[in-house]
Amino acid sequence: MRIKAIALFFCFLLPANTSFAQEIDKVLLRGYDAALVIYNRTTGETINIGPVRSSQRLSPCSTFKIYNTLIGLELALIKGVDEPWYHWDGVKRGIEGWNQDLTLREAFKVSAVPAYQTLARDIGEIRMKEYVEKIGYGSKDISAGIDIFWLSRPDTTSIKISADEQVALLNKLLDGKLPFSEKNVAILRDIMQAEKTDKGTLYGKTGSGMGPDGKGNLGWFVGFLENNGKTYVFACNILGGENPSGKTARTIIENIFKSQNLL
């Protein structure tokens, strides 16, 4: 992979002059301390706005649901995308969309932590560890607990992964080099679809972390974009600024692609 500066990123996507590209980049990142990696699977070019930040390992938060889903499908713990799956335990939680029975599609869309905690417990520590090792997921450390290791918690040590590693894993997934069947990867693609326009289709998963004060301190959005026969794999995480979240990271990615007429 050839790594180029962010100024070349925009020139590479669209024939814009370098100074203009740098200016819109600053605006689109909205003042956050961002890691942003975009890999063009057609040309093999990698665009990285900050190699130090993109190599920094952080809690994956709910982006781990990508692989939690695939493992659950491989082990036949999830029967179908629109079949009844998660049965609400009756405990009222702060996100209303979690307080009901959910299909896989619904649980993924609302990022239902209780549903995926139940799935992780059903997978079990031994099988989860085997899959995490097989796919080479970040630090591969699930010792914090089978149903919390991917969450950002101030009092536990979760598994950690960098933006670089997120992109590398997604590339392997799309290449069919991870231990998941084509059928299950197709199911994942279906539920990962985040936006579709006449220009392109965006697939992704958000993730958000909170500090001890209950305020957001980390936002992720990872996935890929398909546009006119080309595929761009991306990972973005944001720190600092005002309430960084997965929703904000997704907005940043969407705005970058839309500014380049790709979405």
Side-chain angles (χ1 to χ4, degrees):
M1 296 183 201
R2 300 184 301 280
I3 299 178
K4 296 192 176 185
I6 186 63
L8 291 183
F9 163 44
F10 292 100
C11 295
F12 158 67
L13 295 178
L14 198 78
N17 66 71
T18 299
S19 61
F20 176 70
Q22 289 174 324
E23 183 61 30
I24 64 171
D25 171 54
K26 292 177 183 177
V27 173
L28 292 174
L29 294 179
R30 301 172 61 172
Y32 289 97
D33 176 11
L36 174 63
V37 181
I38 301 177
Y39 175 64
N40 185 326
R41 285 172 56 83
T42 302
T43 67
E45 291 194 78
T46 297
I47 299 87
N48 189 331
I49 67 167
V52 173
R53 273 287 284 109
S54 68
S55 66
Q56 180 183 4
R57 283 177 167 176
L58 301 168
S59 168
C61 306
S62 285
T63 66
F64 185 74
K65 288 187 175 72
I66 292 171
Y67 301 97
N68 205 352
T69 297
L70 285 168
I71 296 167
L73 288 167
E74 288 292 318
L75 296 175
L77 297 172
I78 306 170
K79 302 303 181 185
V81 67
D82 293 311
E83 295 181 23
W85 173 49
Y86 169 67
H87 299 287
W88 179 42
D89 58 10
V91 178
K92 292 283 287 185
R93 297 177 176 88
I95 298 177
E96 190 57 38
W98 298 359
N99 299 326
Q100 58 188 316
D101 291 351
L102 298 167
T103 64
L104 173 62
R105 187 187 307 278
E106 293 166 337
F108 195 89
K109 182 178 180 179
V110 300
S111 202
V113 170
Y116 278 87
Q117 288 181 309
T118 298
L119 176 59
R121 288 191 290 267
D122 289 343
I123 292 169
E125 186 174 347
I126 293 175
R127 293 190 295 187
M128 183 69 80
K129 182 67 173 175
E130 287 176 351
Y131 269 102
V132 166
E133 292 281 352
K134 281 181 186 177
I135 66 178
Y137 192 92
S139 64
K140 297 178 277 193
D141 178 11
I142 69 168
S143 61
I146 186 60
D147 56 2
I148 60 171
F149 67 85
W150 67 91
L151 300 174
S152 179
R153 300 275 181 98
D155 55 344
T156 60
T157 302
S158 80
I159 199 167
K160 290 181 171 60
I161 192 168
S162 68
D164 287 332
E165 291 169 319
Q166 292 265 30
V167 167
L169 265 182
L170 284 170
N171 269 310
K172 287 182 180 179
L173 181 65
L174 295 178
D175 285 338
K177 294 180 178 179
L178 295 183
F180 305 114
S181 71
E182 290 185 11
K183 175 185 176 182
N184 290 332
V185 172
I187 291 173
L188 176 72
R189 285 173 61 98
D190 180 22
I191 64 175
M192 277 184 71
Q193 183 172 310
E195 184 173 356
K196 186 173 184 178
T197 71
D198 57 356
K199 297 173 183 175
T201 304
L202 182 70
Y203 302 84
K205 184 69 193 76
T206 57
S208 301
M210 291 189 298
D213 58 2
K215 294 181 180 179
N217 64 1
L218 169 61
W220 277 101
F221 189 51
V222 306
F224 54 97
L225 171 77
E226 294 178 339
N227 168 275
N228 292 327
K230 296 181 179 179
T231 302
Y232 303 87
V233 180
F234 63 85
C236 175
N237 67 60
I238 55 174
L239 302 169
E242 183 178 353
N243 193 34
S245 67
K247 182 178 179 180
T248 301
R250 173 176 169 171
T251 298
I252 288 172
I253 287 290
E254 288 176 337
N255 288 342
I256 286 173
F257 284 135
K258 287 177 180 178
S259 75
Q260 303 307 311
N261 208 33
L262 295 172
L263 181 63

